[in-house]
Amino acid sequence: LSLGLLALCHRLSAIGHFLSATLASSQDSLFSGCLFASMSPTITTLAVQKRNPKRINVYLDGAYAFPLELSVALESGLKRGQELSDQEIAHLTAADDVQKAYNRALVLLSYRPRSAAEVRRNLASKKIAPPVIAEVIARLTENGLLDDAAFARFWVENRAAFSPRGGRLLTQELRQKGV
């Protein structure tokens, strides 16, 4: 019963903050007197998603809050009963965005080698933020999964073996690929 009361109070506090910001009168906030208004939300459940076991759902104060990649949750050491500040929640969701973009890039690279520009264009087409794309590209390069020189060698060898092209056309294709 007290956990439900805490969740209700947290929600009412959030609604009160929204209303007070909307009405521009934070002193007249209807819910500012709630005892739990200043408490950070607490993780009540970490549940594996049914359709994607590599992702979890995070419940704060008994209510669904946000999803995360399992690896992000493990790296950050999330556990039941842990309190999360707004900055920690923002950091977790940002790390989740990077991990999701990294996973997309890995899927793209699983078909054939790609240039950094190809990966960047593909991620941008998925409406991923440029800072996240830059972090993913750096991580892929650091892990040796993205190398423009190796890609260029692969492309030239592949073209020579399966679809011979002249030097100018190969140079043009590589420029289109961002190399």
Side-chain angles (χ1 to χ4, degrees):
L1 182 64
S2 63
L3 187 60
L5 183 61
L6 179 64
L8 177 64
C9 194
H10 180 69
R11 286 185 188 150
L12 291 176
S13 176
I15 292 169
H17 289 300
F18 172 77
L19 290 175
S20 64
T22 304
L23 299 174
S25 61
S26 61
Q27 296 170 346
D28 297 331
S29 175
L30 192 61
F31 303 104
S32 63
C34 185
L35 290 174
F36 302 108
S38 63
M39 286 185 64
S40 296
T42 303
I43 297 174
T44 53
T45 306
L46 296 169
V48 176
Q49 291 183 352
K50 292 177 184 173
R51 293 186 183 197
N52 187 353
K54 293 181 181 179
R55 293 187 59 79
I56 63 167
N57 291 328
V58 179
Y59 292 81
L60 299 176
D61 297 331
Y64 172 79
F66 53 89
L68 282 179
E69 288 284 332
L70 185 59
S71 61
V72 172
L74 291 173
E75 287 172 7
S76 49
L78 293 182
K79 59 185 182 246
R80 278 182 38 196
Q82 179 180 351
E83 290 187 359
L84 295 176
S85 68
D86 290 340
Q87 291 97 2
E88 290 171 321
I89 293 171
H91 175 73
L92 286 170
T93 55
D96 183 58
D97 290 342
V98 170
Q99 187 61 42
K100 284 191 302 189
Y102 185 78
N103 290 345
R104 281 183 187 253
L106 288 178
V107 168
L108 182 68
L109 289 169
S110 70
Y111 297 106
R112 69 167 173 84
R114 309 274 179 168
S115 69
E118 283 182 298
V119 173
R120 185 175 286 109
R121 275 193 297 265
N122 182 276
L123 294 176
S125 74
K126 306 289 185 199
K127 308 285 190 246
I128 295 173
V132 172
I133 294 173
E135 190 171 339
V136 168
I137 298 289
R139 193 168 151 193
L140 288 168
T141 303
E142 180 182 308
N143 292 335
L145 299 172
L146 200 58
D147 181 4
D148 283 348
F151 169 74
R153 283 190 301 277
F154 162 80
W155 193 259
V156 169
E157 289 170 6
N158 192 3
R159 283 296 189 200
F162 299 109
S163 182
R165 311 264 188 210
R168 281 188 191 168
L169 192 53
L170 276 175
T171 304
Q172 181 183 0
E173 284 180 346
L174 287 172
R175 278 194 197 125
Q176 287 175 346
K177 302 286 182 196
V179 179

